[in-house]
């Protein structure tokens, strides 16, 4: 869908990003992480906790979650029953986020759901192409396995004709709104900067600090390069936690209600950044109404401006693409081009390499 471009808007503040990149579950899939349906199945399996022979014969489900339950209460039976409710409802749910939103205010269901999310994401990170075996010699990322992913193509776009000393400016021009709980893009960029520019981890982390990454629904924790002076708060990619530590990490996950709480979330910052950006790019995003509502300001706060809206629409029908375009136009106020090709994230960066160029 295309509309007639409007007059150029007034100059934006210097710290306003040119591009907002919105990541959905499909963006992490190329690194080996689960998409929505797979995540629901993984969570259901982890929460299928059944004790054999009155607890003397072990149990199904995840032991780390069982230990986290025991850190909360001596009688874990109510939490087990709520875990089974989540397990049984996952085939029906659009996503775990939608299910938790439908049960907002039910603390035990929220706790069990968040523990399931954290454990499934950490396990998926550990099995992904991005995981670095700490016992390997040397412990480095295998960039060859990531060569054909959008992660690598995005890095090529970011660094095209760019010296290390100019990288800060490139990173400042982008904001990433990551609807995923994982830290794939943060982790990849940190190691890619080190490897490509031949700089130490500290220099790479300093450069990466200029890229703003916002998680509307929280994440499974801060990677070690974030706030290095507070190692107790770090959660390495694919960390293996149980009990109290798993419980602590689960507090970083937000339901939709918590994510849209203006007093305790980043929603106002996200909406302001999205509203002022000249270019919105959606990768692996499903355009679910709850997430669309979170991204954009209320209708009375929308101002029209020229811009560009691009997004992957892998497997989405032409009819639904028109609905998505209309919805985004009404929510964003952007008058310009709207394109949603039926492409994977990697192929998207190939097809739109000139459009997305930062050189």
């Amino acid at each position: 869908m295309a509309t007639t471009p409007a007059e150029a808007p007034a100059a934006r503040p210097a710290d306003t990003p040119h591009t907002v990149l919105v990541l959905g579950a499909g963006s992490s899939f190329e690194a080996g992480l689960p998409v929505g349906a797979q995540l629901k199945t993984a969570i259901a399996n982890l929460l299928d906790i059944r004790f054999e022979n009155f607890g003397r014969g072990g149990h199904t489900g995840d032991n780390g979650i069982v230990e986290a339950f025991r850190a909360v209460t001596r009688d874990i039976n109510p939490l087990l029953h709520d875990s089974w409710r989540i397990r049984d409802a996952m085939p029906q749910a659009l996503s775990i986020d939608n299910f938790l939103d439908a049960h907002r205010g039910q603390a035990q269901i929220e706790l069990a759901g968040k523990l399931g999310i954290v454990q499934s994401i950490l396990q998926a990170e550990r099995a992904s192409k991005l995981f670095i075996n700490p016992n390997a010699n040397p412990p480095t990322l295998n960039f060859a396995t990531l060569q054909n992913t959008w992660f690598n193509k995005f890095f090529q776009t970011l660094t095209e004709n760019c010296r290390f000393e100019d990288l800060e400016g490139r990173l400042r021009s982008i904001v990433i709104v990551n609807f995923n709980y994982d830290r794939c893009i943060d982790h990849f960029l940190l190691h890619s900067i080190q490897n490509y520019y031949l700089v130490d981890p500290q220099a790479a982390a300093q450069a990466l600090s200029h890229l703003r990454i916002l998680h509307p629904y929280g994440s499974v924790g801060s990677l070690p390069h974030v706030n290095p002076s507070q190692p107790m708060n770090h959660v390495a990619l694919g960390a293996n936690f149980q009990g109290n530590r798993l419980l602590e990490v689960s507090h970083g996950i937000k339901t939709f209600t918590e994510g849209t709480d203006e007093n305790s979330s980043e929603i106002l910052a996200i909406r302001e950044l999205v509203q002022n950006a000249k270019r919105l790019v959606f990768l692996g995003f499903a355009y679910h109404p709850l997430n669309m509502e979170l991204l954009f300001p209320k209708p009375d706060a929308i101002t029209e401006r020229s811009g560009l809206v691009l997004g992957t629409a892998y497997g989405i029908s032409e009819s639904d693409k028109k609905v998505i375009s209309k919805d985004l136009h009404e929510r964003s106020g952007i008058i310009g081009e709207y394109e949603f090709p039926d492409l994977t994230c990697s192929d998207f960066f190939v097809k739109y390499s000139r459009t997305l160029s930062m050189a």
Side-chain angles (χ1 to χ4, degrees), residues 43-52 58-67 69 76 79-81 83-84 87 112:
I43 291 171
N45 291 336
L46 291 169
L47 293 177
D48 184 22
I49 302 168
R50 291 171 287 113
F51 287 86
E52 309 293 339
H59 61 80
T60 61
D62 184 73
N63 188 65
I65 293 177
V66 171
E67 294 305 315
F69 286 165
I76 67 172
L79 283 166
L80 292 179
H81 282 87
S83 297
W84 300 337
R87 173 200 66 191

mmCIF file of all heavy atoms in Angstrom, residues 43-52 58-67 69 76 79-81 83-84 87 112:
data_model
loop_
_atom_site.group_PDB
_atom_site.id
_atom_site.type_symbol
_atom_site.label_atom_id
_atom_site.label_comp_id
_atom_site.label_asym_id
_atom_site.label_seq_id
_atom_site.Cartn_x
_atom_site.Cartn_y
_atom_site.Cartn_z
ATOM 1 N N ILE A 43 7.259 -24.662 26.718
ATOM 2 C CA ILE A 43 6.766 -24.252 28.036
ATOM 3 C C ILE A 43 5.826 -25.310 28.608
ATOM 4 O O ILE A 43 5.900 -25.657 29.798
ATOM 5 C CB ILE A 43 6.066 -22.881 27.938
ATOM 6 C CG1 ILE A 43 7.100 -21.790 27.652
ATOM 7 C CG2 ILE A 43 5.296 -22.560 29.221
ATOM 8 C CD1 ILE A 43 6.505 -20.438 27.323
ATOM 9 N N ALA A 44 4.947 -25.845 27.766
ATOM 10 C CA ALA A 44 4.019 -26.891 28.228
ATOM 11 C C ALA A 44 4.783 -28.107 28.739
ATOM 12 O O ALA A 44 4.426 -28.689 29.776
ATOM 13 C CB ALA A 44 3.077 -27.289 27.091
ATOM 14 N N ASN A 45 5.840 -28.503 28.058
ATOM 15 C CA ASN A 45 6.634 -29.659 28.482
ATOM 16 C C ASN A 45 7.363 -29.389 29.797
ATOM 17 O O ASN A 45 7.448 -30.261 30.664
ATOM 18 C CB ASN A 45 7.639 -30.043 27.397
ATOM 19 C CG ASN A 45 6.976 -30.619 26.162
ATOM 20 O OD1 ASN A 45 5.864 -31.154 26.239
ATOM 21 N ND2 ASN A 45 7.632 -30.519 25.024
ATOM 22 N N LEU A 46 7.902 -28.189 29.946
ATOM 23 C CA LEU A 46 8.614 -27.844 31.181
ATOM 24 C C LEU A 46 7.667 -27.818 32.386
ATOM 25 O O LEU A 46 8.067 -28.159 33.506
ATOM 26 C CB LEU A 46 9.289 -26.474 31.037
ATOM 27 C CG LEU A 46 10.472 -26.402 30.063
ATOM 28 C CD1 LEU A 46 10.863 -24.950 29.825
ATOM 29 C CD2 LEU A 46 11.671 -27.178 30.603
ATOM 30 N N LEU A 47 6.424 -27.391 32.140
ATOM 31 C CA LEU A 47 5.455 -27.270 33.226
ATOM 32 C C LEU A 47 4.619 -28.535 33.427
ATOM 33 O O LEU A 47 3.740 -28.575 34.295
ATOM 34 C CB LEU A 47 4.526 -26.078 32.965
ATOM 35 C CG LEU A 47 5.208 -24.703 33.017
ATOM 36 C CD1 LEU A 47 4.213 -23.612 32.665
ATOM 37 C CD2 LEU A 47 5.829 -24.436 34.388
ATOM 38 N N ASP A 48 4.908 -29.576 32.671
ATOM 39 C CA ASP A 48 4.223 -30.864 32.844
ATOM 40 C C ASP A 48 4.915 -31.631 33.970
ATOM 41 O O ASP A 48 5.541 -32.672 33.767
ATOM 42 C CB ASP A 48 4.279 -31.650 31.533
ATOM 43 C CG ASP A 48 3.507 -32.963 31.622
ATOM 44 O OD1 ASP A 48 2.611 -33.076 32.497
ATOM 45 O OD2 ASP A 48 3.811 -33.877 30.834
ATOM 46 N N ILE A 49 4.787 -31.093 35.181
ATOM 47 C CA ILE A 49 5.505 -31.619 36.350
ATOM 48 C C ILE A 49 4.601 -32.610 37.090
ATOM 49 O O ILE A 49 3.613 -32.232 37.717
ATOM 50 C CB ILE A 49 5.923 -30.473 37.292
ATOM 51 C CG1 ILE A 49 6.795 -29.463 36.530
ATOM 52 C CG2 ILE A 49 6.668 -31.015 38.507
ATOM 53 C CD1 ILE A 49 7.015 -28.160 37.278
ATOM 54 N N ARG A 50 4.938 -33.881 36.985
ATOM 55 C CA ARG A 50 4.166 -34.935 37.652
ATOM 56 C C ARG A 50 5.127 -35.840 38.417
ATOM 57 O O ARG A 50 6.066 -36.385 37.837
ATOM 58 C CB ARG A 50 3.369 -35.743 36.623
ATOM 59 C CG ARG A 50 2.234 -34.957 35.980
ATOM 60 C CD ARG A 50 1.592 -35.679 34.806
ATOM 61 N NE ARG A 50 2.451 -35.692 33.617
ATOM 62 C CZ ARG A 50 2.991 -36.765 33.104
ATOM 63 N NH1 ARG A 50 2.818 -37.955 33.672
ATOM 64 N NH2 ARG A 50 3.742 -36.693 32.016
ATOM 65 N N PHE A 51 4.872 -35.990 39.699
ATOM 66 C CA PHE A 51 5.735 -36.812 40.550
ATOM 67 C C PHE A 51 5.312 -38.271 40.480
ATOM 68 O O PHE A 51 4.121 -38.591 40.538
ATOM 69 C CB PHE A 51 5.688 -36.318 41.999
ATOM 70 C CG PHE A 51 6.427 -35.026 42.200
ATOM 71 C CD1 PHE A 51 5.794 -33.810 41.972
ATOM 72 C CD2 PHE A 51 7.763 -35.022 42.598
ATOM 73 C CE1 PHE A 51 6.474 -32.618 42.137
ATOM 74 C CE2 PHE A 51 8.441 -33.832 42.762
ATOM 75 C CZ PHE A 51 7.808 -32.626 42.527
ATOM 76 N N GLU A 52 6.303 -39.136 40.339
ATOM 77 C CA GLU A 52 6.051 -40.576 40.254
ATOM 78 C C GLU A 52 6.211 -41.215 41.631
ATOM 79 O O GLU A 52 7.089 -40.844 42.412
ATOM 80 C CB GLU A 52 7.052 -41.222 39.276
ATOM 81 C CG GLU A 52 7.136 -40.534 37.912
ATOM 82 C CD GLU A 52 5.867 -40.676 37.107
ATOM 83 O OE1 GLU A 52 5.087 -41.604 37.409
ATOM 84 O OE2 GLU A 52 5.645 -39.860 36.186
ATOM 85 N N GLY A 58 11.134 -39.713 41.259
ATOM 86 C CA GLY A 58 11.473 -38.602 40.375
ATOM 87 C C GLY A 58 10.222 -37.929 39.831
ATOM 88 O O GLY A 58 9.100 -38.174 40.303
ATOM 89 N N HIS A 59 10.392 -37.086 38.857
ATOM 90 C CA HIS A 59 9.241 -36.378 38.296
ATOM 91 C C HIS A 59 9.520 -35.977 36.860
ATOM 92 O O HIS A 59 10.672 -35.902 36.418
ATOM 93 C CB HIS A 59 8.907 -35.139 39.134
ATOM 94 C CG HIS A 59 10.020 -34.128 39.190
ATOM 95 N ND1 HIS A 59 10.264 -33.230 38.176
ATOM 96 C CD2 HIS A 59 10.950 -33.867 40.143
ATOM 97 C CE1 HIS A 59 11.291 -32.458 38.497
ATOM 98 N NE2 HIS A 59 11.732 -32.829 39.690
ATOM 99 N N THR A 60 8.431 -35.727 36.146
ATOM 100 C CA THR A 60 8.532 -35.187 34.792
ATOM 101 C C THR A 60 8.659 -33.667 34.889
ATOM 102 O O THR A 60 8.625 -33.092 35.974
ATOM 103 C CB THR A 60 7.289 -35.563 33.974
ATOM 104 O OG1 THR A 60 6.129 -34.992 34.619
ATOM 105 C CG2 THR A 60 7.130 -37.063 33.890
ATOM 106 N N GLY A 61 8.758 -33.006 33.739
ATOM 107 C CA GLY A 61 8.871 -31.557 33.759
ATOM 108 C C GLY A 61 10.274 -31.101 34.136
ATOM 109 O O GLY A 61 11.228 -31.872 34.086
ATOM 110 N N ASP A 62 10.384 -29.852 34.520
ATOM 111 C CA ASP A 62 11.694 -29.247 34.753
ATOM 112 C C ASP A 62 12.021 -29.152 36.234
ATOM 113 O O ASP A 62 11.255 -28.571 37.011
ATOM 114 C CB ASP A 62 11.730 -27.856 34.131
ATOM 115 C CG ASP A 62 13.095 -27.216 34.243
ATOM 116 O OD1 ASP A 62 14.004 -27.645 33.509
ATOM 117 O OD2 ASP A 62 13.241 -26.306 35.077
ATOM 118 N N ASN A 63 13.185 -29.679 36.604
ATOM 119 C CA ASN A 63 13.594 -29.673 38.007
ATOM 120 C C ASN A 63 13.914 -28.253 38.507
ATOM 121 O O ASN A 63 13.654 -27.922 39.662
ATOM 122 C CB ASN A 63 14.813 -30.571 38.212
ATOM 123 C CG ASN A 63 15.154 -30.741 39.686
ATOM 124 O OD1 ASN A 63 14.362 -31.316 40.432
ATOM 125 N ND2 ASN A 63 16.289 -30.232 40.109
ATOM 126 N N GLY A 64 14.475 -27.420 37.637
ATOM 127 C CA GLY A 64 14.778 -26.050 38.038
ATOM 128 C C GLY A 64 13.532 -25.299 38.453
ATOM 129 O O GLY A 64 13.547 -24.515 39.421
ATOM 130 N N ILE A 65 12.437 -25.523 37.729
ATOM 131 C CA ILE A 65 11.173 -24.864 38.071
ATOM 132 C C ILE A 65 10.627 -25.417 39.380
ATOM 133 O O ILE A 65 10.111 -24.669 40.219
ATOM 134 C CB ILE A 65 10.160 -25.032 36.924
ATOM 135 C CG1 ILE A 65 10.645 -24.261 35.689
ATOM 136 C CG2 ILE A 65 8.778 -24.557 37.334
ATOM 137 C CD1 ILE A 65 9.783 -24.403 34.462
ATOM 138 N N VAL A 66 10.748 -26.747 39.578
ATOM 139 C CA VAL A 66 10.311 -27.343 40.850
ATOM 140 C C VAL A 66 11.057 -26.698 42.011
ATOM 141 O O VAL A 66 10.463 -26.332 43.037
ATOM 142 C CB VAL A 66 10.533 -28.870 40.847
ATOM 143 C CG1 VAL A 66 10.282 -29.456 42.234
ATOM 144 C CG2 VAL A 66 9.629 -29.545 39.818
ATOM 145 N N GLU A 67 12.364 -26.537 41.882
ATOM 146 C CA GLU A 67 13.156 -25.924 42.950
ATOM 147 C C GLU A 67 12.776 -24.465 43.156
ATOM 148 O O GLU A 67 12.805 -23.951 44.286
ATOM 149 C CB GLU A 67 14.651 -26.060 42.639
ATOM 150 C CG GLU A 67 15.158 -27.496 42.648
ATOM 151 C CD GLU A 67 14.856 -28.199 43.967
ATOM 152 O OE1 GLU A 67 15.077 -27.585 45.029
ATOM 153 O OE2 GLU A 67 14.373 -29.352 43.922
ATOM 154 N N PHE A 69 9.731 -23.281 42.681
ATOM 155 C CA PHE A 69 8.471 -23.355 43.422
ATOM 156 C C PHE A 69 8.754 -23.555 44.915
ATOM 157 O O PHE A 69 8.128 -22.927 45.778
ATOM 158 C CB PHE A 69 7.614 -24.514 42.912
ATOM 159 C CG PHE A 69 6.957 -24.275 41.576
ATOM 160 C CD1 PHE A 69 6.417 -25.345 40.856
ATOM 161 C CD2 PHE A 69 6.878 -23.012 41.033
ATOM 162 C CE1 PHE A 69 5.807 -25.141 39.632
ATOM 163 C CE2 PHE A 69 6.262 -22.795 39.797
ATOM 164 C CZ PHE A 69 5.729 -23.865 39.112
ATOM 165 N N ILE A 76 3.870 -26.907 47.290
ATOM 166 C CA ILE A 76 3.929 -26.495 45.891
ATOM 167 C C ILE A 76 2.746 -27.009 45.069
ATOM 168 O O ILE A 76 2.653 -26.725 43.876
ATOM 169 C CB ILE A 76 5.246 -26.947 45.226
ATOM 170 C CG1 ILE A 76 5.304 -28.469 45.102
ATOM 171 C CG2 ILE A 76 6.448 -26.403 45.979
ATOM 172 C CD1 ILE A 76 6.494 -28.954 44.269
ATOM 173 N N LEU A 79 0.815 -24.510 42.952
ATOM 174 C CA LEU A 79 1.608 -24.079 41.800
ATOM 175 C C LEU A 79 1.676 -25.167 40.725
ATOM 176 O O LEU A 79 1.691 -24.877 39.535
ATOM 177 C CB LEU A 79 3.019 -23.689 42.246
ATOM 178 C CG LEU A 79 3.137 -22.322 42.933
ATOM 179 C CD1 LEU A 79 4.474 -22.177 43.644
ATOM 180 C CD2 LEU A 79 2.935 -21.202 41.922
ATOM 181 N N LEU A 80 1.710 -26.423 41.166
ATOM 182 C CA LEU A 80 1.690 -27.526 40.198
ATOM 183 C C LEU A 80 0.382 -27.537 39.419
ATOM 184 O O LEU A 80 0.381 -27.733 38.195
ATOM 185 C CB LEU A 80 1.882 -28.865 40.914
ATOM 186 C CG LEU A 80 3.252 -29.124 41.548
ATOM 187 C CD1 LEU A 80 3.275 -30.474 42.236
ATOM 188 C CD2 LEU A 80 4.360 -29.054 40.489
ATOM 189 N N HIS A 81 -0.728 -27.314 40.126
ATOM 190 C CA HIS A 81 -2.021 -27.319 39.444
ATOM 191 C C HIS A 81 -2.122 -26.170 38.440
ATOM 192 O O HIS A 81 -2.672 -26.346 37.340
ATOM 193 C CB HIS A 81 -3.156 -27.240 40.463
ATOM 194 C CG HIS A 81 -3.440 -28.539 41.147
ATOM 195 N ND1 HIS A 81 -2.780 -28.940 42.285
ATOM 196 C CD2 HIS A 81 -4.275 -29.568 40.821
ATOM 197 C CE1 HIS A 81 -3.205 -30.143 42.653
ATOM 198 N NE2 HIS A 81 -4.109 -30.548 41.777
ATOM 199 N N SER A 83 0.427 -24.876 36.929
ATOM 200 C CA SER A 83 1.323 -25.267 35.833
ATOM 201 C C SER A 83 0.600 -26.167 34.845
ATOM 202 O O SER A 83 0.764 -26.027 33.614
ATOM 203 C CB SER A 83 2.552 -25.994 36.388
ATOM 204 O OG SER A 83 3.310 -25.149 37.215
ATOM 205 N N TRP A 84 -0.187 -27.079 35.376
ATOM 206 C CA TRP A 84 -0.941 -27.978 34.493
ATOM 207 C C TRP A 84 -1.998 -27.202 33.701
ATOM 208 O O TRP A 84 -2.288 -27.546 32.555
ATOM 209 C CB TRP A 84 -1.608 -29.080 35.302
ATOM 210 C CG TRP A 84 -0.639 -29.932 36.062
ATOM 211 C CD1 TRP A 84 0.685 -30.126 35.784
ATOM 212 C CD2 TRP A 84 -0.924 -30.684 37.248
ATOM 213 N NE1 TRP A 84 1.247 -30.965 36.716
ATOM 214 C CE2 TRP A 84 0.300 -31.329 37.634
ATOM 215 C CE3 TRP A 84 -2.054 -30.887 38.028
ATOM 216 C CZ2 TRP A 84 0.387 -32.150 38.757
ATOM 217 C CZ3 TRP A 84 -1.974 -31.705 39.144
ATOM 218 C CH2 TRP A 84 -0.766 -32.332 39.508
ATOM 219 N N ARG A 87 -0.103 -25.743 30.887
ATOM 220 C CA ARG A 87 0.222 -26.842 29.969
ATOM 221 C C ARG A 87 -0.968 -27.205 29.094
ATOM 222 O O ARG A 87 -0.827 -27.339 27.868
ATOM 223 C CB ARG A 87 0.650 -28.056 30.794
ATOM 224 C CG ARG A 87 0.871 -29.331 30.015
ATOM 225 C CD ARG A 87 0.795 -30.550 30.948
ATOM 226 N NE ARG A 87 -0.549 -30.713 31.499
ATOM 227 C CZ ARG A 87 -0.853 -31.556 32.502
ATOM 228 N NH1 ARG A 87 0.101 -32.295 33.061
ATOM 229 N NH2 ARG A 87 -2.093 -31.651 32.946
ATOM 230 N N ALA A 112 4.180 -19.214 37.406
ATOM 231 C CA ALA A 112 4.495 -20.453 36.690
ATOM 232 C C ALA A 112 4.788 -20.163 35.223
ATOM 233 O O ALA A 112 5.730 -20.720 34.634
ATOM 234 C CB ALA A 112 3.337 -21.443 36.818
#
